[in-house]
């Protein structure tokens, strides 16, 4: 066991090759810290250490992680507020001298700088789940599932049906904090352009006209998150940072370590036990739940948002789950 430096909301234990951060549980502790519980940060994942004066008679010790070393910070993409920075330890001012000692000791052990070529900090452990505004998102370590709520999901998502994505099918994760703007979690698929854009075909030249240079590609706007079946949106009390960010980090870490789907494998096919049309193969859905979803589908049909053919096909899909 190494030396321990205790601060507000957390304590750091210094060992020869890592810093073990234990977050407290308490009414004043940020919920993200409580959700993380405990994190071991390898010395190889740290590029620097700073100690500064804080507000109201405090000192702030902060470890600077290497870019690309921590899936949590990669998923957060700079959107975390200062008070929720998991690498920041706030201490009473009287412990500043002690903190400086540990800072110097830790600096002496640092040997790596620059971006990391892989994640060095462990992600939050699966299984994980949280409620977004329009769906329940769940992750078992290999597959992400979105199950739409009839009270919040758009008609486009209801038409698409509940979704299932293997991490090997994904290229990344886009997380937007609900505390910054309109939050969402979007899964980026390998078969889509990385920037979510697609070129528009150039117009062929007419024989009677001089040849023109091909028109430059025009960006196609990515679907709005509330219309994208690969995304869930957040709302008041839905998709909170302490629930959705660890989820995003776990998925992102799994994506980075997953092998791509072999060519010829149908998109969305997750093998035995995967979700198809909202039900797991070999399993049965709750009849009351299926009835509620059919009722909502009927409302969409009567409102003209679903065609007769789509209504019949989706209803048959839902009935097949029983």
């Amino acid at each position: 066991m190494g030396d321990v430096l205790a601060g507000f909301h957390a304590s750091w234990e210094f060992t020869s090759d890592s810093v073990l951060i234990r977050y407290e549980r308490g009414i004043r502790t940020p919920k993200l810290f409580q959700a993380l519980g405990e994190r071991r940060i390898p010395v190889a994942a740290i590029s620097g250490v700073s100690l500064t004066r804080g507000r109201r008679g405090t000192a702030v010790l902060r470890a600077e992680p290497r870019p690309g070393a921590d899936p949590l910070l990669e998923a957060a993409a700079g959107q975390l507020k200062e008070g929720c920075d998991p690498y920041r330890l706030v201490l009473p001012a009287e412990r500043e001298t002690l903190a400086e000692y540990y800072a110097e000791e830790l600096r002496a052990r640092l040997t790596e700088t620059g971006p990391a070529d892989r994640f060095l900090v462990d992600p939050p452990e699966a299984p994980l789940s949280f409620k977004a505004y329009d769906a329940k998102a769940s992750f078992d370590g290999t597959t992400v599932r979105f199950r739409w709520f009839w009270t919040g999901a758009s008609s486009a998502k209801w038409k698409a049906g509940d979704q299932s994505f293997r991490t090997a099918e994904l290229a990344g994760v886009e997380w937007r904090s609900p505390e910054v703007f309109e939050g969402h979690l979007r899964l980026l698929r390998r078969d889509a352009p990385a920037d979510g854009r697609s070129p528009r075909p150039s117009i062929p030249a007419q024989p009677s006209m001089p040849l023109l240079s091909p028109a430059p590609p025009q960006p196609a706007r990515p679907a709005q998150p509330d219309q994208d079946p690969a995304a869930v949106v957040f709302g008041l009390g839905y998709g909170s940072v302490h629930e959705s960010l660890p989820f995003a980090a776990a998925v992102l870490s799994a994506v980075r370590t997953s092998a791509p789907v072999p060519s010829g494998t149908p998109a969305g096919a997750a093998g035995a036990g995967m979700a198809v049309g909202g039900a797991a193969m070999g399993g049965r859905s709750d009849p009351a739940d299926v009835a509620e979803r059919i009722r909502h589908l009927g409302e969409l049909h009567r409102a003209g948002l679903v065609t007769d053919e789509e209504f019949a096909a989706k209803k048959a899909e839902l009935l097949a789950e029983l």
Side-chain angles (χ1 to χ4, degrees):
M1 182 173 179
D3 295 338
V4 177
L5 181 62
F8 299 112
H9 311 316
S11 63
W12 290 14
E13 181 180 336
F14 300 87
T15 65
S16 59
D17 61 353
S18 66
V19 178
L20 178 60
I21 303 177
R22 295 186 178 93
Y23 300 101
E24 295 179 355
R25 293 186 178 275
I27 191 170
R28 295 187 178 182
T29 302
K31 289 184 177 180
L32 177 60
F33 291 178
Q34 297 184 47
L36 295 175
E38 182 177 296
R39 308 189 82 210
R40 185 175 294 277
I41 313 300
V43 171
I46 302 172
S47 62
V49 185
S50 64
L51 180 65
T52 58
R53 291 286 179 87
R55 293 174 293 180
R56 300 177 182 176
T58 60
V60 179
L61 179 65
R62 186 178 190 276
E64 183 66 37
R66 295 170 60 196
D70 186 349
L72 189 82
L73 293 195
E74 288 296 296
Q79 299 173 77
L80 283 179
K81 294 181 178 179
E82 184 180 70
C84 288
D85 183 349
Y87 286 86
R88 188 170 176 268
L89 180 66
V90 181
L91 310 109
E94 57 266 24
R95 296 183 190 168
E96 183 175 356
T97 302
L98 184 60
E100 180 59 41
Y101 166 78
Y102 286 117
E104 288 295 336
E105 288 287 308
L106 184 55
R107 289 189 192 104
R109 300 176 194 169
L110 303 182
T111 58
E112 303 291 339
T113 59
D117 59 0
R118 59 187 176 86
F119 289 140
L120 301 173
V121 182
D122 290 338
E125 292 185 4
L128 294 166
S129 66
F130 73 94
K131 287 185 178 180
Y133 177 73
D134 55 359
K136 179 180 180 181
S138 60
F139 178 53
D140 62 7
T142 59
T143 304
V144 182
R145 292 183 172 86
F146 295 157
R147 183 168 184 176
W148 309 121
F149 296 146
W150 71 270
T151 52
S154 64
S155 59
K157 291 183 176 180
W158 271 94
K159 286 181 182 180
D162 293 345
Q163 298 293 300
S164 177
F165 305 89
R166 279 183 296 174
T167 53
E169 300 171 349
L170 303 176
V173 177
E174 177 184 88
W175 181 79
R176 292 293 177 266
S177 172
E179 296 180 349
V180 176
F181 193 53
E182 295 178 356
H184 66 264
L185 172 70
R186 191 198 303 265
L187 304 178
L188 307 178
R189 288 169 284 195
R190 292 184 186 274
D191 58 0
D195 59 0
R197 301 165 183 245
S198 59
R200 186 172 65 184
S202 57
I203 302 173
Q206 299 296 324
S208 58
M209 299 173 61
L211 292 176
L212 302 175
S213 299
Q218 298 297 316
R221 291 185 178 181
Q224 291 295 322
D226 65 334
Q227 302 295 318
D228 186 354
V232 294
V233 297
F234 307 153
L236 185 62
Y238 294 92
S240 302
V241 171
H242 69 281
E243 296 175 330
S244 61
L245 180 56
F247 185 101
V251 174
L252 180 59
S253 180
V255 167
R256 295 280 179 89
T257 56
S258 295
V261 179
S263 58
T265 301
M274 66 160 282
V276 176
M281 293 177 64
R284 297 294 179 186
S285 295
D286 181 5
D289 180 58
V290 172
E292 180 61 32
R293 293 164 71 190
I294 291 176
R295 187 190 69 77
H296 180 66
L297 185 66
E299 292 177 355
L300 296 175
H301 180 235
R302 288 190 292 275
L305 299 174
V306 176
T307 66
D308 293 343
E309 293 77 11
E310 290 170 333
F311 174 74
K314 187 62 182 177
K315 181 179 179 181
E317 231 178 76
L318 292 169
L319 290 173
E321 296 181 15
L322 297 174

